[in-house]
Amino acid sequence: MGRNMDPELEGLEILYSKNQILSAVTSIAKSIAEYHDGMNTVNVVPVMTGGMQFAAALLTELERIRPGKWLVSPIFASAYSSDELLTEPTIEFPTTFDDRVDLQAPTVVVDDLLDTGTTMTKLMKDIQSRGIPKVDLAVLIDRKRNQPKEIVPRFCGFQLKSDRWLVGFGMDSEQRYRGLEAVYVQI
């Protein structure tokens, strides 16, 4: 990790560079495509707002590998009301969700960060309760903590053993820095 020389990013230190992230995205896309090789359709469910940037990059790669296979239907989920203040998870399915997915096809939920796993566990159960038989998780970063999580991502770019707050590539601090092309830690 190195300090950032950009005065606009003062107080941030790079954790994963743009090239490292793009390499991880390519690898995850290849793994998802290979895992679902025999399927004609796969639902991709990006978790907004954090998973937006990762999902966009991942979908671009998935379409490059196997065009036309991926049905996209985003949802909204959050467990943080502000930086580091964990609350009860909120999950919102758009009213058109069930019409935009193939209920018989496998589903890959896409998010930027798996942290405590509380929100994702609830989300995965909510999706399965809609009748979708197979639901897997793809995350850019799986934060490893001391307590076990109920959920393990099938597809993961990075595993991180740190509680430091992350920003960039979908992750934010008070709704800022989400669009940075790399992932940073606050110093």
Side-chain angles (χ1 to χ4, degrees), residues 2-124:
R3 297 228 185 260
N4 201 309
M5 303 313 276
D6 185 339
E8 296 292 318
L9 298 177
E10 190 172 320
L12 299 179
E13 184 177 295
I14 196 159
L15 180 63
Y16 302 116
S17 71
K18 175 184 176 181
N19 289 338
Q20 288 173 303
I21 291 170
L22 294 178
S23 177
V25 168
T26 300
S27 177
I28 293 168
K30 184 177 178 184
S31 294
I32 291 171
E34 288 173 1
Y35 185 76
H36 293 293
D37 185 48
M39 305 303 300
N40 290 326
T41 301
V42 177
N43 300 309
V44 178
V45 179
V47 178
M48 299 293 118
T49 305
M52 179 171 47
Q53 197 161 347
F54 174 49
L58 185 62
L59 284 164
T60 299
E61 276 300 303
L62 288 170
E63 290 290 354
R64 187 187 62 71
I65 295 168
R66 178 77 194 288
K69 180 174 184 157
W70 320 98
L71 292 180
V72 181
S73 187
I75 59 90
F76 295 87
S78 179
Y80 287 95
S81 61
S82 66
D83 288 5
E84 303 184 49
L85 184 57
L86 196 59
T87 61
E88 184 67 27
T90 58
I91 298 172
E92 300 172 40
F93 284 86
T95 55
T96 59
F97 181 84
D98 291 344
D99 296 329
R100 297 178 59 118
V101 297
D102 180 340
L103 295 174
Q104 304 306 310
T107 297
V108 178
V109 175
V110 178
D111 204 2
D112 55 349
L113 174 70
L114 181 62
D115 198 6
T116 64
T118 304
T119 304
M120 196 53 64
T121 299
K122 182 176 179 355
L123 173 60
M124 300 286 271

Side-chain angles (χ1 to χ4, degrees), residues 146-181:
N146 291 334
Q147 73 271 19
K149 293 182 263 199
E150 290 182 46
I151 190 163
V152 175
R154 178 170 299 278
F155 311 101
C156 176
F158 305 100
Q159 293 186 340
L160 178 65
K161 289 186 178 188
S162 172
D163 286 337
R164 294 169 72 188
W165 195 255
L166 306 177
V167 299
F169 213 77
M171 292 159 270
D172 73 295
S173 175
E174 303 298 338
Q175 301 300 320
R176 299 180 191 278
Y177 303 112
R178 203 179 285 280
L180 294 175
E181 61 187 4

